[in-house]
Amino acid sequence: MADISLFKETGIQITLLLVLMIIVAGLIIVVFKFLSIYGKILKRKESVEVQREAENLSSEEVIAFEEQEKALHFTPPENDLSGNLPPEDKKGVIQNINSVEELRVFPVKRRTSSLQKYITPELSRLILFFLGTAIFWLVLGTTFGLYAGIKLVAPDIEHTSWFSYGRLRPGHTNAVFWGWASLAMMGLAYYVIPRVSNVENFNIRQGYLSLILVNAAVLSGTISVLAGVNNGGGEYREYIWPIMITFGIGVALSLHNFFKPIIHRTTKEIYLSNWYIVSGTMFIVLVIVIAYIPIWQDGVGETIIQGYYMHQAIGMWFMMINLGLMYYFLPQQLNKPIYSYSLGVLAFWTHTLFYTLIGTHHFIFSAIPWRLQTTAIIASAGMLIPVAAGTANFLLTFNGAWYQLKNSYTLPFYFMSIIFYFTGSFQGTVEAFRYTNLLWHFTDFTVAHSHLTMYGIITFMLWGFIYTLVPRLTGKEPPKILVGIHFWLALIGLLFYVISLMIGGTQTGQLWIKKKPFIEGVINMAPFWLWRAIGGSLMWVSHLIFAYNFYKMVKKQDDIKVPKTPAEILATKKQFGNTEFNT
């Protein structure tokens, strides 16, 4: 097997194609942004030409423009609109005339519901607290991850037990899982659920209690894993059971809160976003209970449960809720409906069917029964159905609206996360094949895959959603140039990180297949770990920029503007005439 050519293996060929797709998608964003910049250059050139022409206008042309300006502001007498003569436009007021052929009796587009255009200020504050604490854990958790990556390059940088690699790694993974991604998803869900249910019926105190419990669990869990206290048999060296139960109770409180608007919804249908969000929240509570019950935590049974636990946490919690959020935010950002609701339903049920069966595909050629390994491989291949359905649904929703990528600072996050959803999920299927699993498992290739999914899919989606939502809650947008820098640093850093570890992990796997000493694999990874640290540094800097952008979006205005003009006074009246709501 060691002599088999890599490029003849289907799994390797598919992986190379998927990486190429990611690079092409990034280049598409570059082209759109270049077209936007080029368009601005042309407009600036046209503006200069018009100014030059205006400077050289003759007196007759000036008089003609002045007459046209008067005509545009002309108000006819009350009896000037009557008469039997055909209509004329001698003053040139009308610029564009369109004839309507169809009868305007029936509406072309029908809305079956009247969505609220607001949420209460109390809920806005709760959402912002969820997002703010999530960003805190993003920065802290990825600081742990960056330092762990640096220690692979410079292992003797220091020897403090709390910051050893074996403790930094679980501190990093658990902080970004349960702190960053979980809190961000829950905060965004508190916005989406009432919007698609047309009613806001949350218990705000219960929401804050959920927020406190989840943050308390992540804080105490971070301290405990850095102190060396963890659930030792777990995949990620997880928090011990009292801490994880605290997290589960916090999530369960929000789950109860989520049910209220859905139960009291004013529309008959339950929109697909709520299917995904509520199902994902129910699953994670069940997964935590199953993973921490001690009756089967022994031997092979513990391995099977760990495979179930780690994959359901990823696919039925993070992926499930983010897909639900995407079904709400993407159509709204593009100002058009989702391409196919039926495709969304297909993706939902096939995702639920296949993802719950794939946990043991990480343990091919292990002591786990062969039938379970084969079941996991088949289910992994079955995951191509929901992935293809979801990706097609999202990209076809872009159809006719691709031009918006040029000027939007949120849509590039949406687009790249969709591409990562397809490539990362497909690559996970490929990694379940027996040969590729033998080649890649326990190597740094698995680390690359986890970042391709949790970072490329989940985190890029969350960034797009947060940049979409927070300006609606606060009325303030982030500095657009910094959003662009954030996007490109994160994307380029992730590509450095993922591609280097994929190459190095493949080479290490080949060495192991050839029965080479383990230390040769470590030596082989040295230059690739350097690229990992470089890419991780770029990603970490992008997180600092993102945190600053969030601060700019939520920072209160320093200047006090006193309304003086009639328009400003009327605007103030409109604002305070409906103080119950925050648009």
Side-chain angles (χ1 to χ4, degrees), residues 91-103:
K91 300 179 177 66
V93 177
I94 301 176
Q95 302 295 320
N96 185 24
I97 302 175
N98 292 318
S99 60
V100 179
E101 302 296 340
E102 73 275 12
L103 293 175

Side-chain angles (χ1 to χ4, degrees), residues 32-102:
F32 274 109
K33 292 301 179 182
F34 173 79
L35 291 175
S36 176
I37 295 172
Y38 182 65
K40 291 178 181 179
I41 293 173
L42 292 180
K43 282 187 177 180
R44 190 173 292 111
K45 183 179 179 181
E46 182 181 358
S47 175
V48 172
E49 292 177 355
V50 172
Q51 291 176 5
R52 188 179 298 112
E53 292 176 1
E55 293 176 359
N56 300 322
L57 286 176
S58 63
S59 56
E60 293 82 3
E61 290 173 325
V62 172
I63 293 173
F65 279 115
E66 289 176 348
E67 291 179 351
Q68 188 173 1
E69 180 65 19
K70 290 178 181 178
L72 290 172
H73 294 85
F74 172 74
T75 303
E78 293 181 2
N79 62 349
D80 203 33
L81 297 177
S82 61
N84 298 322
L85 296 176
E88 294 182 354
D89 182 32
K90 295 181 180 180
K91 300 179 177 66
V93 177
I94 301 176
Q95 302 295 320
N96 185 24
I97 302 175
N98 292 318
S99 60
V100 179
E101 302 296 340
E102 73 275 12

Side-chain angles (χ1 to χ4, degrees), residues 545-561:
I545 296 172
F546 171 60
Y548 176 77
N549 288 340
F550 181 80
Y551 165 75
K552 293 293 289 185
M553 290 187 285
V554 300
K555 180 174 179 261
K556 292 183 178 180
Q557 296 283 0
D558 296 330
D559 57 328
I560 301 175
K561 187 175 182 180

Side-chain angles (χ1 to χ4, degrees), residues 116 118-123 194 197-202 204 261 581:
Q116 292 180 349
Y118 42 73
I119 61 172
T120 57
E122 292 78 14
L123 182 56
S197 301
N198 286 337
V199 63
E200 181 182 315
N201 198 31
F202 290 121
I204 298 298
F581 298 110

